[in-house]
Amino acid sequence: GKETWFAYGALAGVENFPANGLAKSHCFEKEECIHTIQANISISKNGTFYEGWVLDPKTGERLSTGHLKSTLGDVRHNLSFETAKDIRAFTKVLITLEKDDGDPAPGKLVAQGTLKELKRDK
């Protein structure tokens, strides 16, 4: 469908954690949204992984966008998340370092950024 909303933002490491990247969110006419992350972040140690999140700063609601993957086995990590939920209010992007222990609660915050809407020509 036709894109109705687009936002993007830079990601940076927190507390001197070495990370940077770009997050983008697109929403379309038929109530579908896609959120992507491209991040440069150190390789996680065995038993840990990076998880992406979007957060609505007004309500505090947080939504997991899944595990970041390093397809080449280096610092380049990617994530692509599709949802029928309207995520336009979820403008804060977080990356956490998680232990692979099945606990769904967010782990240590290692990178974050803020999405800014970009109005496109119609």
Side-chain angles (χ1 to χ4, degrees):
K2 182 179 174 188
E3 181 181 84
T4 58
W5 184 82
F6 172 71
Y8 69 101
L11 300 172
V14 297
E15 297 178 7
N16 297 320
F17 195 88
N20 63 61
L22 179 68
K24 298 183 281 186
S25 289
H26 305 259
C27 290
F28 301 92
E29 281 180 325
K30 299 191 186 225
E31 297 183 20
E32 177 187 39
C33 293
I34 299 171
H35 174 76
T36 61
I37 292 176
Q38 290 84 37
N40 297 310
I41 194 165
S42 61
I43 298 168
S44 60
K45 294 179 174 53
N46 285 342
T48 64
F49 62 91
Y50 295 109
E51 186 166 359
W53 304 84
V54 288
L55 173 78
D56 180 338
K58 290 185 177 138
T59 67
E61 182 182 355
R62 182 187 305 240
L63 178 65
S64 170
T65 56
H67 297 196
L68 279 80
K69 305 284 186 219
S70 174
T71 56
L72 298 175
D74 62 9
V75 300
R76 293 172 287 183
H77 289 74
N78 296 290
L79 174 147
S80 183
F81 172 73
E82 295 182 26
T83 182
K85 183 174 181 70
D86 183 348
I87 60 170
R88 289 178 289 180
F90 291 76
T91 56
K92 189 83 169 168
V93 179
L94 311 170
I95 297 175
T96 56
L97 179 60
E98 305 288 336
K99 291 181 182 169
D100 198 3
D101 58 6
D103 183 352
K108 178 185 178 187
L109 180 64
V110 296
Q112 64 184 351
T114 301
L115 297 173
K116 295 184 182 1
E117 182 179 4
L118 177 65
K119 301 237 186 240
R120 301 213 205 214
D121 294 336
K122 301 220 177 191

